[in-house]
Amino acid sequence: MEGDAEERQIQARFVTKLKPPFKAPVAAITIPANITRLGLSTIVNSLLEAGNADWDNQPFDFLIDGELVRMSLEQFLLAKGISAEKILEIEYVKAVVPRKQEEPSLHDDWVSAVDGSCPRFILTGCYDGLGRVWKAAGLCTHILEGHSDAITSVSIISSGDEDSVTLATASKDQTLRLWKFDTEEPENSPAKIRAFKILRGHNASVQSVAAETSGSMICSGSWDCTINLWRTDKSDAEGDLVSIKKRKVKNKSEESQLEGEATSTFVGHTQRISSVVWPERETIYSASWDHSIRRWDVETSKDSAKIFCGKALNCLHVGGEGSALVAAGGSDPILRIWDPRKPGTSAPIYQFSSHTAWVSACKWHDKSWFHLLSASYDGKVMLWDLRTAWPLAVIESHEDKVLCADWWRGDCVVSGGVDCKLCISSDTAVQ
C-alpha cells in the first residue's frame, strides 16, 4: 500500500488573476499528490511555454482557498481538511523573491533611515548627520547638510511638481529640518543643500517624522514623549516664523534660514516615542517604549484608542486591507499586526516570528493588501504575505543590524544598517 500512497494522483485546475501571457489553460490535469511548490511552478511554466515558445520561466506561488501552500500538496490538503476527490482549484501568483542585488551604496556611518516613496530617488539618513539622495545604486546626487547629530528619520513630503521636491529630516540634535531641491541631476554631483527651515521645540532626540497626505504638515515623535505638529510651507503667513538668522561662516553670509514652532503638541505617552505615521488627514498613530500604540485625533490632540502589546516598540506602519491594519515591531523578534476595527483590539490578528532579534522596521506594500516587510537587528529583511505564516523571502545583504527598510518602485526593497550600506534588492514582483 505504501507504494500506492507515493503514487497518488490529484485532479487539479490552475487559475490566475494575472493577465496574459501569464494565463495557462484552465482544463483539469492530473498531478502527483506529493508535489511541492517547485513542482507546481514547473507544471505552470510548462503549460505557459506550450502556448508561448518565447516563454521565460518564472517562479510562482500557489493558493488554495486563499492560503499559500507551504508544504507538499498532500500535507496541505490533510492539514486543511480539503477533499482530494474533487477537482482542486489552485490559484497561482508571481512569487515574491528578490532576484537581483544591486551594488551597495556606501555611507560614512550607520544608515538609520530610508524613504523609497518617490520612484525617482531614494532618501537616506545617516549617523554622520547627513541626508543623501540616491538616483540609483551608488549614485548620490544631493547631500543634505546642517544637522549636528545623527539623523534618525527621513520623509519625502511631496514630490509636488515634477522638478521640485520637499523633504523632512529628524535628528538626535533635537531639531527637524525641511529641505527643497530640484530632481534634475546637478552638474557637480553630489550637490550640497541646506535646509530652508529648522523646526525647534522638542527637548530630546526626535526619532520619527511623518507627513500628512497633502504635504502641508508633518508630525514628529520624540524621546521627550511628545508628538509635535508643524507646518511645512515657506511663508510666515501662519505666524510660525520665529526669526531669520544670517550666519557668517568664513566671512561669507549664508542664506537665511527660517525657524518654525510647533502648531500643537500631543501629550500622553509615558516613555520615549519611537515611531509616528500619518495615514489619513485626521488620524496619527504613534508607537512608544511604554509598550503602547496610540491613535490620535488631529483636531482635538487627544488619543482616541490605545493598543498595549507588552513590549517596547521600535517601529510602526499602517496599511494592508482597507489601509487600516497596524503593524509594529520592537524588543522581541515578533512582528505583530492588529486590526483596530475589531473589538478587543489588543490581541494581534497576526504574529510573525521568524526573526531572531529585535524588529527595527516594518512597512506595508502600498499596492497590496497582503504584503509587508520587516527588518531586524538579526541582519535580515523579511518579506511577508498575510496568507502564510512563513516569510516569502529572506534578504541577507547586510553584515550587521538592519536599522531601516522600505519598498521602492513597487518591486524593490531598500534597506540600511550598521554596516554603513544602503542595499537595493530588485525584481520582487509584488502584485
Side-chain angles (χ1 to χ4, degrees), residues 261-274:
E261 284 185 330
T263 60
S264 55
T265 299
F266 300 175
V267 179
H269 279 296
T270 57
Q271 294 271 333
R272 298 169 165 188
I273 294 169
S274 54

Side-chain angles (χ1 to χ4, degrees), residues 217-233:
M217 296 193 80
I218 56 170
C219 67
S220 56
S222 168
W223 278 4
D224 65 13
C225 310
T226 67
I227 296 164
N228 279 345
L229 265 53
W230 317 81
R231 297 190 197 285
T232 58
D233 48 26

Side-chain angles (χ1 to χ4, degrees), residues 34-38 40-41 59-64 66-77 79-80 90-98 352 354 370-371 383-394 428:
N34 60 359
I35 197 166
T36 60
R37 283 168 61 205
L38 192 60
L40 291 169
S41 206
F60 291 107
D61 253 321
F62 299 88
L63 295 145
I64 297 173
E67 188 162 343
L68 279 164
V69 177
R70 276 291 182 272
M71 48 190 87
S72 79
L73 201 50
E74 202 162 29
Q75 290 168 317
F76 184 88
L77 298 180
K80 301 295 167 191
I90 304 175
E91 183 187 352
Y92 60 95
V93 295
K94 290 181 189 171
V96 178
V97 184
F352 295 120
S354 294
F370 303 109
H371 294 101
L383 308 187
W384 302 94
D385 185 313
L386 299 186
R387 297 166 292 190
T388 179
W390 290 273
L392 294 181
V394 180
T428 53

Side-chain angles (χ1 to χ4, degrees), residues 130-430:
L130 300 175
R132 290 172 176 83
V133 174
W134 303 85
K135 201 164 186 178
L139 179 58
C140 177
T141 56
H142 299 79
I143 294 179
L144 317 183
E145 288 188 335
H147 281 297
S148 59
D149 205 337
I151 292 179
T152 51
S153 181
V154 295
S155 177
I156 300 167
I157 299 172
S158 65
S159 29
D161 55 69
E162 278 303 294
D163 300 327
S164 178
V165 179
T166 308
L167 313 172
T169 54
S171 169
K172 287 183 180 293
D173 68 11
Q174 306 184 12
T175 72
L176 296 108
R177 287 171 194 245
L178 299 175
W179 319 73
K180 265 193 172 35
F181 76 96
D182 290 330
T183 53
E184 282 297 303
E185 200 176 320
E187 281 180 31
N188 299 320
S189 203
K192 294 182 176 176
I193 47 180
R194 289 176 59 75
F196 71 81
K197 200 175 200 180
I198 301 171
L199 308 178
R200 299 185 198 274
H202 286 296
N203 56 31
S205 174
V206 189
Q207 282 305 109
S208 183
V209 57
E212 192 257 329
T213 42
S214 73
S216 62
M217 296 193 80
I218 56 170
C219 67
S220 56
S222 168
W223 278 4
D224 65 13
C225 310
T226 67
I227 296 164
N228 279 345
L229 265 53
W230 317 81
R231 297 190 197 285
T232 58
D233 48 26
K234 268 188 163 180
S235 80
D236 56 5
E238 305 296 339
D240 67 343
L241 180 62
V242 181
S243 61
I244 297 178
K245 297 191 175 176
K246 272 199 188 292
R247 294 190 175 86
K248 286 214 181 271
V249 176
K250 292 181 186 160
N251 300 325
K252 283 196 304 197
S253 181
E254 291 198 358
E255 279 182 59
S256 58
Q257 283 178 302
L258 306 182
E259 289 206 0
E261 284 185 330
T263 60
S264 55
T265 299
F266 300 175
V267 179
H269 279 296
T270 57
Q271 294 271 333
R272 298 169 165 188
I273 294 169
S274 54
S275 188
V276 288
V277 288
W278 200 336
E280 52 197 28
R281 195 182 184 105
E282 59 282 350
T283 308
I284 288 169
Y285 282 87
S286 58
S288 163
W289 289 14
D290 66 11
H291 301 184
S292 77
I293 295 165
R294 296 180 189 228
R295 185 172 71 207
W296 301 85
D297 182 305
V298 173
E299 280 297 302
T300 63
S301 306
K302 297 276 187 289
D303 57 351
S304 56
K306 299 182 189 70
I307 299 169
F308 286 95
C309 95
K311 295 290 167 193
L313 294 166
N314 291 327
C315 58
L316 170 76
H317 199 233
V318 176
E321 184 196 343
S323 298
L325 301 183
V326 177
S331 60
D332 70 0
I334 300 170
L335 175 66
R336 294 174 174 84
I337 296 165
W338 292 266
D339 187 342
R341 299 165 298 187
K342 288 193 160 81
T345 303
S346 272
I349 55 167
Y350 298 99
Q351 297 192 81
F352 295 120
S353 51
S354 294
H355 283 297
T356 55
W358 292 12
V359 177
S360 54
C362 56
K363 199 70 192 276
W364 290 97
H365 192 277
D366 65 353
K367 297 279 193 306
S368 166
W369 278 12
F370 303 109
H371 294 101
L372 73 161
L373 59 76
S374 61
S376 165
Y377 292 171
D378 64 12
K380 297 179 174 71
V381 177
M382 294 190 183
L383 308 187
W384 302 94
D385 185 313
L386 299 186
R387 297 166 292 190
T388 179
W390 290 273
L392 294 181
V394 180
I395 300 170
E396 301 189 65
S397 40
H398 289 281
E399 288 137 37
D400 207 326
K401 295 184 180 79
V402 186
L403 302 177
C404 56
D406 198 2
W407 302 94
W408 185 45
R409 293 179 174 168
D411 67 350
C412 297
V413 174
V414 291
S415 56
V418 169
D419 57 6
C420 309
K421 290 175 183 172
L422 165 71
C423 292
I424 304 172
S425 308
S426 51
D427 292 344
T428 53
V430 176

Side-chain angles (χ1 to χ4, degrees), residues 22-39:
F22 288 93
K23 278 200 186 306
V26 290
I29 60 171
T30 304
I31 58 175
N34 60 359
I35 197 166
T36 60
R37 283 168 61 205
L38 192 60

